[in-house]
Amino acid sequence: MNETISKMMQHRSIRKYSDQPVTQEMVEQIVSAGQMASSSSNVQAYSVIAVTDAGRKAKLAELCGNQAYVAECPVFLVWCADLSRLKQAAERYIPSQTTYEATTENFIVATVDTALAAQNAAVAAESLGLGIVYIGGIRNQSEQVATLLDLPRLAYPVFGMCLGYPDQEPGLRPRLPLPAVLHWNGYDAAGQDKQVADYDEVMSTYLRERTGGSKDTPWSELMAEKLAQPARLHLRQFLAQRGFELK
């Protein structure tokens, strides 16, 4: 196992940060590494808002569901799918032609581009001794976030990312067995039940140890409960208002 893979295998979400500052140069280096991720047709359909202002971080923490570490981390990155640059290019070079920036395909392209760049950036940050945690709560109140950050039409916040030097050492959370996600030459549906059952045992043990025995709910039960809870049902309307008509 080489140094890069070894570092990736040690990933854990960091929610507590030291007072050591993260410099602008480091943020620029991390986001530059993110930019080198693959991009569909080189559209690079994303933008990153680096938030360091304490007041804005506090407001974002509130909008994310009162997640204190959003306010406490030195830098909070908001990763946005962004098709506005492409639309502007079309208006500049082919103003009389019909364009299709608001299709489901382009929405997926922009969202995937954002995720690929962010994960590159996460690996870069961890290689520099920093820690990160992704914040899906940035979508809790998407319109307020978009307004606070002055996002243009055809841009939406996909997730946030706390960035800073770790002030904790959480354990590694076990992942699904490799055969549950890696299939050869076709999807192995028949083997899924066993893989999930094995993982349920692993996660039950992990939770018992982490919580001192107060919780040992199997992973599959937790996922079932998650699916039974409506989450962020406003997003379709919000995306339409942002210009993503998803044709």
Side-chain angles (χ1 to χ4, degrees), residues 8 33 38 41 70 88 117 135 159 165 200-201 224:
M8 294 171 73
S38 297
S41 300
V70 172
Q88 290 166 7
I135 305 295
F159 42 70
Y165 287 93
D200 278 345
E201 292 186 11

Side-chain angles (χ1 to χ4, degrees), residues 126-143:
E126 290 176 345
S127 77
L128 296 171
L130 301 175
I132 68 103
V133 62
Y134 284 98
I135 305 295
I138 202 74
R139 301 187 300 277
N140 286 356
Q141 300 187 65
S142 306
E143 186 60 51

Side-chain angles (χ1 to χ4, degrees), residues 83-105:
L83 291 167
S84 67
R85 282 189 296 270
L86 275 66
K87 179 61 173 176
Q88 290 166 7
E91 291 173 344
R92 184 180 308 119
Y93 290 104
I94 51 172
S96 62
Q97 291 189 32
T98 300
T99 56
Y100 300 92
E101 62 279 349
T103 63
T104 300
E105 167 65 8

